[in-house]
Amino acid sequence: MPSPPEGCLFCKLVVDGDHVHAADGFVAIRDINPLAETHLLVLPERHVDTFRDVAAFPPDEAARMLQFVAETAQAAGLDDYRVLVNVGPGAGQTVFHLHWHVLGGRVDAEKAAGALTETAA
Ligand code: 5GP
Ligand code: ZN
């Protein structure tokens, strides 16, 4: 595995974050600025800058990552939920370590609209 960029926030949280779920090289944490009643982030241990580079995951690990996203939602008691990945600053990505947003329950419409229209570019 290539070494991650120095000071990557999510590499750090993979190690010492407050994990609500963890297994097989993946962790889930609560988003610090929730856009919905439940807003979790799934982080792979493997550092990959964006979803654009998802091919860096061996196929079995990529499949496991998707299963882990579904398990995280289930473990949080969510039946219906949204899964979102912002890819690149023009699409609102602000942390450059691939992560999956899992959003369940009531959405904060104003904050969510802001997050979808804001870009970091
Ligand atoms: P992005 O905008 O890159 O798709 O998502 C990054 C997410 O990380 C944002 O929703 C933001 O609220 C969340 N975030 C940023 N810093 C921290 C932090 O230190 N801890 C946690 N738990 N979430 C963070
Ligand atoms: Zn990282």
Side-chain angles (χ1 to χ4, degrees):
M1 216 184 282
S3 45
E6 191 86 9
C8 171
L9 171 65
F10 283 178
C11 280
K12 182 176 177 302
L13 293 180
V14 162
V15 176
D16 67 6
D18 193 0
H19 303 160
V20 297
H21 185 49
D24 304 335
F26 301 97
V27 306
I29 59 173
R30 288 184 200 291
D31 196 292
I32 204 171
N33 182 27
L35 302 179
E37 222 169 312
T38 301
H39 185 170
L40 303 174
L41 299 172
V42 166
L43 319 177
E45 245 170 50
R46 182 186 291 279
H47 178 97
V48 170
D49 286 355
T50 77
F51 181 78
R52 227 181 274 126
D53 304 325
V54 72
F57 288 84
D60 58 336
E61 203 174 315
R64 183 69 191 101
M65 179 159 62
L66 292 181
Q67 288 170 350
F68 185 87
V69 170
E71 278 172 22
T72 295
Q74 191 180 23
L78 300 176
D79 197 13
D80 298 348
Y81 55 92
R82 294 178 168 89
V83 175
L84 174 76
V85 181
N86 296 319
V87 187
Q93 185 179 1
T94 57
V95 179
F96 290 85
H97 175 127
L98 170 62
H99 53 281
W100 303 71
H101 296 257
V102 176
L103 298 148
R106 196 175 39 78
V107 169
D108 183 325
E110 201 173 323
K111 265 166 88 177
L116 280 175
T117 51
E118 263 169 36
T119 64

